[in-house]
Amino acid sequence: MKKIVVGIDLGTTHSLVAYRREDGHVEVIPDRDGRVLLPSVVALSKDGVRVGWSARERINDPETTVIYAAKRLMGRSFEETENDRSHVSYPVVDWNGSPAIPDPSRNRALTPPEVGALILKELRTRAEEALGQSVSDAVVTVPAYFNDGQRQATKDAGTLAGLNVLRIINEPTAAALAYGLGSGKDGLFAVFDLGGGTFDFSLLDIRKGIFEVRATNGDTHLGGEDFDRAITEEWFRISPKLASLAKRPEVRDLLRKEAERAKIALSSKTKVEVALPAAGFRSTLTRDRLNELVAPFVERTLACVRNALSDSGSTTGDVDGVILVGGSTRFPRFKEAVGTFFGKPLFDTVDPDLVVAEGAAVQADILSGRRKDLLLLDVTPLSLGIETIGGVTSTLIPRNTTVPAQAKELFTTYVDGQTNVDIHVLQGEREMAKDNRSLARFTLAGIPPLPAGTPRIEVTFQIDANGILEVTAREQTTGKTSNVVIHPSYGLGKEDVRDLLKEAFAHVQEDFATRLLADARTEAQTVLNATLRALGRVKEDILPETDRTAILHQVDLMKAAMEGTDGRKVRDETQALDKLTQPLAERLMNQSISNALAGMALPKEDDTNA
Ligand code: ADP
Ligand code: MG
């Protein structure tokens, strides 16, 4: 039997698993009860761990810890998750700098990748039962703005679930694949993803099988749940009694469910009756009224869209189509608003709850080697490099390089006898290291003590198909190696990528000048060191006093220039010193040759042939 690779949408609210059948049809795999969605919920209690629907039912059980929306915590530091922690009702503790959820009955804490693993395992089991074969290979989707750390954490979740994650792909890319984009159909596509609690907008440039995310924007706290809340608040206005009853969590939860039911019904009806006899409440909600209630949310999504367009320097006219993703885009008001805003065809024929999983399955199928017609490549969103002398950035992998990719470069020491080098890995477009994002630092120790500039240190950057970076430094004579896999690179949000690019563009000129100065100072320092060393070694008789004075005078001029900020001046003074010391270098050479000759006899002719 051919090995099947599955596609998984690991969502904030729901997760799904899909695969591509032999006949080419993509199928989202249901559970035994025929449900395709799996709530991304894990419940911890004395009687065990539950995942999915049964976990969600426990939401009001005081004896159970119900973990939901753990995706928001994935691959981030405890500090960074402060805002998200305040939005959840379960406790989150600081576990060596990472967030973790205590499991009191088992005396341990679960990290977000472990929570993700439980969900993935459930999906894996579901797939194995449905397919009647073991499933180990998968493609998993993540939001386009996920940084290296968040992607790595998602991959870790897969590994913990016994899955071999062949690739992590962006959710908007998956949605586009589900619509068959990328094989022949090129263009700029907007992906509008409004889920339960998050809104993600991406502009996807598809050209010759390369999917490039041109811009992302969104709101990590905007989604269907806000509409549900707006509905319950409306009810509280109508009935103060209901409002006071809702102080009890189980009532609040019931109302929330009722509100969601009403909202969903209003996608196909124009009016719905709501009756809560126990609370003596009865009311009618119309679609028109719901449209009014969601108007501020519609406006917020469109504001994000406008920002993404302006960041990427495009207009609605450049967009070839809009893909609708996420359960909340079923609500007619959103379709209308998006359709009117873009005036472009909407891709809405694939179920918006399933479209990401289906696209992941398409990619999975490609990776299983069954399809040769479509080649999918991803690119690095920002440049990657290291800090070199003078605090400048040396780029190894430029932005927009298709991954997987590898780059090597040789570096050396800067101080005589230096036995350690610090490798500082950077991400970003700025010339100076301090202006870029610091991804990691590590040390290569045990370099043989040699004069500056002699050791050869090879630095290799290897970035895999998931954008996970491994940096290795190797000293070539000893073979000493040190490396780092870049992993929790905390704090790079979707806005950050955009801001970093914008900043780089805004600072091009001044960065150029700063870089010129830094490079010129480095060069000047090297020439200065060499000059002082030579002056110390050269014998009086071969360097006239006037020459020595002239050199020292130029040294002072160069030092003064180095104190200043004009890179060109530093370079000119350095060149002048270089020129002045040229004869000195020649004399030194002669001096050492005659020294050498004086101390040794020339070999006899027959010896040289021996
Ligand atoms: P996520 O990607 O965050 O896991 P989903 O894409 O599964 O989220 O979307 C879930 C949201 O979609 C929920 O808030 C749900 O109420 C909402 N939803 C589902 N169907 C409809 C509908 N017909 N009309 C409006 N909202 C809907
Ligand atoms: Mg989603």
Side-chain angles (χ1 to χ4, degrees):
M1 207 184 308
K2 184 89 182 82
K3 205 168 174 190
I4 291 175
V5 183
V6 294
I8 295 178
D9 171 5
L10 185 61
T12 310
T13 331
H14 296 120
S15 297
L16 307 94
V17 58
Y19 80 108
R20 197 160 180 269
R21 292 197 315 228
E22 207 69 65
D23 65 9
H25 181 83
V26 174
E27 188 175 316
V28 182
I29 305 172
D31 64 10
R32 285 195 200 140
D33 300 316
R35 298 174 294 205
V36 289
L37 297 180
L38 175 76
S40 305
V41 181
V42 168
L44 311 171
S45 69
K46 271 201 218 67
D47 49 313
V49 177
R50 288 157 197 268
V51 179
W53 297 102
S54 63
R56 204 163 82 162
E57 278 162 17
R58 293 278 174 128
I59 191 85
N60 292 314
D61 176 12
E63 305 285 297
T64 307
T65 304
V66 179
I67 310 168
Y68 54 90
K71 185 174 174 176
R72 296 183 188 280
L73 309 176
M74 194 71 104
R76 301 170 71 207
S77 70
F78 182 74
E79 260 174 47
E80 273 171 359
T81 54
E82 189 182 340
N83 179 36
D84 289 295
R85 277 185 274 125
S86 69
H87 278 82
V88 298
S89 58
Y90 51 86
V92 181
V93 296
D94 184 345
W95 189 263
N96 300 322
S98 286
I101 302 102
D103 180 357
S105 32
R106 269 159 223 92
N107 199 15
R108 57 161 189 177
L110 288 177
T111 59
E114 287 175 295
V115 176
L118 289 166
I119 296 162
L120 291 173
K121 211 163 177 182
E122 187 74 19
L123 293 172
R124 179 181 168 208
T125 310
R126 175 193 286 198
E128 288 181 332
E129 281 177 7
L131 301 173
Q133 68 178 84
S134 88
V135 170
S136 56
D137 293 340
V139 167
V140 181
T141 60
V142 294
Y145 62 82
F146 257 30
N147 65 23
D148 292 344
Q150 291 166 299
R151 283 164 202 262
Q152 181 64 46
T154 305
K155 219 180 166 195
D156 291 346
T159 309
L160 290 171
L163 286 170
N164 177 22
V165 180
L166 297 182
R167 195 170 290 192
I168 298 280
I169 66 168
N170 290 328
E171 287 160 12
T173 300
L177 281 172
Y179 278 103
L181 300 176
S183 41
K185 271 181 236 156
D186 283 0
L188 185 66
F189 295 90
V191 183
F192 187 99
D193 181 351
L194 189 63
T198 55
F199 171 59
D200 297 317
F201 179 77
S202 321
L203 274 176
L204 204 57
D205 197 358
I206 307 177
R207 236 166 273 282
K208 299 198 182 86
I210 297 177
F211 290 64
E212 188 198 348
V213 178
R214 280 260 295 265
T216 63
N217 209 299
D219 190 326
T220 49
H221 291 280
L222 172 61
E225 286 150 20
D226 294 303
F227 314 162
D228 305 343
R229 201 170 309 116
I231 294 172
T232 52
E233 276 161 15
E234 168 91 340
W235 291 342
F236 296 159
R237 279 192 294 271
I238 299 170
S239 161
K241 184 179 166 206
L242 199 63
S244 80
L245 280 173
K247 291 203 177 84
R248 306 226 314 264
E250 63 279 14
V251 177
R252 194 168 54 231
D253 191 50
L254 188 85
L255 282 175
R256 200 197 50 73
K257 279 195 186 128
E258 200 53 31
E260 184 177 15
R261 199 189 55 79
K263 169 188 77 177
I264 291 175
L266 288 177
S267 287
S268 48
K269 297 199 241 172
T270 53
K271 191 163 98 172
V272 5
E273 300 297 329
V274 197
L276 296 163
F281 178 75
R282 178 175 286 278
S283 178
T284 304
L285 184 65
T286 63
R287 188 190 284 174
D288 287 343
R289 179 61 189 143
L290 183 55
N291 284 347
E292 283 170 20
L293 292 175
V294 303
F297 303 118
V298 175
E299 202 24 66
R300 270 166 69 188
T301 60
L302 293 181
C304 295
V305 171
R306 280 187 211 102
N307 285 336
L309 285 169
S310 84
D311 287 347
S312 66
S314 19
T315 65
T316 53
D318 303 323
V319 175
D320 297 297
V322 186
I323 304 171
L324 295 181
V325 183
S328 301
T329 58
R330 284 214 193 81
F331 190 58
R333 182 69 197 101
F334 274 93
K335 270 193 198 178
E336 246 171 65
V338 175
T340 315
F341 182 85
F342 282 97
K344 288 294 155 69
L346 294 182
F347 289 83
D348 63 351
T349 51
V350 179
D351 186 326
D353 280 329
L354 314 185
V355 63
V356 169
E358 289 191 14
V362 171
Q363 171 66 12
D365 191 49
I366 296 167
L367 292 177
S368 77
R370 283 207 307 216
R371 281 179 74 177
K372 299 267 183 272
D373 56 320
L374 208 143
L375 183 69
L376 177 72
L377 298 165
D378 263 319
V379 297
T380 52
L382 294 168
S383 301
L384 296 161
I386 67 169
E387 175 171 351
T388 53
I389 192 70
V392 304
T393 306
S394 175
T395 296
L396 275 93
I397 299 183
R399 112 186 189 81
N400 282 343
T401 302
T402 50
V403 296
Q406 185 181 298
K408 275 185 210 257
E409 210 161 296
L410 276 178
F411 294 92
T412 187
T413 53
Y414 187 63
V415 177
D416 287 337
Q418 185 179 338
T419 56
N420 283 348
V421 283
D422 286 322
I423 310 283
H424 184 194
V425 186
L426 303 165
Q427 182 178 41
E429 312 310 312
R430 302 288 301 273
E431 294 287 351
M432 303 308 292
K434 68 170 173 44
D435 297 321
N436 281 321
R437 226 172 92 74
S438 169
L439 290 184
R441 283 175 193 272
F442 66 101
T443 303
L444 176 65
I447 298 169
L450 291 168
T454 318
R456 290 158 67 84
I457 297 150
E458 185 183 66
V459 174
T460 309
F461 272 46
Q462 185 129 33
I463 183 160
D464 74 8
N466 302 313
I468 289 159
L469 175 68
E470 178 168 3
V471 179
T472 311
R474 186 172 174 276
E475 197 284 312
Q476 291 195 317
T477 56
T478 57
K480 276 231 185 293
T481 305
S482 177
N483 79 328
V484 67
V485 173
I486 296 178
H487 188 264
S489 54
Y490 299 131
L492 184 70
K494 47 188 161 180
E495 286 90 13
D496 300 316
V497 171
R498 192 193 67 211
D499 291 350
L500 285 173
L501 290 177
K502 267 171 61 179
E503 241 177 69
F505 286 126
H507 293 92
V508 163
Q509 283 192 327
E510 107 197 33
D511 270 12
F512 180 77
T514 318
R515 167 103 200 205
L516 182 77
L517 177 65
D519 286 345
R521 276 184 182 151
T522 302
E523 169 72 18
Q525 192 63 49
T526 309
V527 171
L528 181 66
N529 291 346
T531 304
L532 296 178
R533 215 180 305 133
L535 284 179
R537 289 209 330 253
V538 73
K539 287 179 187 152
E540 297 286 328
D541 55 331
I542 62 166
L543 184 71
E545 189 55 34
T546 48
D547 287 6
R548 179 180 289 267
T549 313
I551 288 172
L552 288 176
H553 177 65
Q554 184 56 35
V555 162
D556 287 341
L557 287 180
M558 191 180 74
K559 277 187 175 163
M562 285 168 78
E563 300 281 310
T565 55
D566 184 351
R568 273 171 236 278
K569 180 142 181 66
V570 177
R571 212 174 48 188
D572 293 347
E573 299 294 4
T574 307
Q575 273 165 10
L577 180 64
D578 216 20
K579 222 172 179 171
L580 269 182
T581 55
Q582 203 63 51
L584 170 64
E586 275 157 28
R587 283 187 197 125
L588 254 179
M589 181 90 81
N590 283 333
Q591 176 183 303
S592 46
I593 290 174
S594 45
N595 279 351
L597 290 179
M600 72 160 76
L602 282 171
K604 281 187 204 128
E605 221 161 293
D606 49 334
D607 282 347
T608 54
N609 293 335

